[in-house]
Amino acid sequence: MAKERLPKPIYEQLAYFRYQIRKFIRFSEEAARSKGLTPQYHQLMLSIMGFPGREHATPKELAERLQITPNSCIELIQRCEELDLVQRFPNPNDRRSIFIRLTDAAKEILEELSEIHMEELKRAGLLEFKDYSHLDSNEA
């Protein structure tokens, strides 16, 4: 018995979703470049600031978030460090480990980029955001 093929509307939905993702990625890459960053620098910064429960992460955690090798992540961190976008600091619980955090200058750039990304995601209907205006920026 022959397997039934997927209906054409499924392919259309998948293709449209892929198209919307690609449009957003292109928008994001261009936005990063407009701020003097490579898309990879922006992705690293967002991965650090967006790490659940804290504003720092280990290189291993960042490599996983970015889906790159640990060695590539270390090189990316070094390049961002040279541009004063990130800082390393010791992990107080494990002397063999370090944490990476954003500099104040990087936080400002990331906030600008994140605001325009939020607007683009809302405009495209890809993502809705909760209203955190009642919270202090450290609470949200």
Side-chain angles (χ1 to χ4, degrees):
M1 185 156 130
K3 181 182 172 194
E4 277 191 45
R5 296 194 182 252
L6 292 174
K8 176 117 170 60
I10 297 291
Y11 294 106
E12 291 172 3
Q13 284 181 293
L14 290 169
Y16 183 71
F17 181 69
R18 175 66 179 83
Y19 167 65
Q20 290 293 91
I21 290 171
R22 184 62 201 123
K23 273 180 56 175
F24 178 74
I25 289 170
R26 183 173 177 205
F27 165 85
S28 181
E29 291 169 347
E30 289 174 2
R33 288 185 186 104
S34 78
K35 297 291 181 188
L37 300 175
T38 69
Q40 294 79 13
Y41 295 173
H42 173 230
Q43 291 169 25
L44 177 70
M45 292 163 56
L46 184 59
S47 294
I48 294 167
M49 196 64 174
F51 202 84
R54 50 188 153 97
E55 293 184 7
H56 58 270
T58 66
K60 183 178 178 182
E61 292 168 332
L62 294 168
E64 170 59 25
R65 288 284 169 137
L66 296 170
Q67 290 294 287
I68 60 177
T69 66
N71 285 344
S72 294
C73 190
I74 292 294
E75 290 174 21
L76 182 58
I77 290 166
Q78 287 171 341
R79 290 194 307 271
C80 285
E81 209 172 19
E82 290 167 7
L83 295 172
D84 197 34
L85 297 171
V86 301
Q87 300 170 320
R88 299 171 194 236
F89 68 100
N91 178 343
N93 300 320
D94 182 354
R95 298 195 122 171
R96 300 165 298 162
S97 173
I98 59 165
F99 286 130
I100 310 300
R101 67 178 162 220
L102 297 184
T103 63
D104 289 340
K107 285 180 184 179
E108 286 182 33
I109 296 167
L110 182 61
E111 184 160 347
E112 291 172 18
L113 282 169
S114 296
E115 286 173 353
I116 62 174
H117 278 73
M118 285 174 55
E119 291 306 314
E120 180 63 15
L121 285 164
K122 284 186 216 174
R123 187 199 62 70
L126 293 173
L127 194 57
E128 291 297 318
F129 293 89
K130 293 179 185 176
D131 180 12
Y132 293 107
S133 61
H134 64 285
L135 297 177
D136 173 306
S137 64
N138 293 327
E139 294 178 72

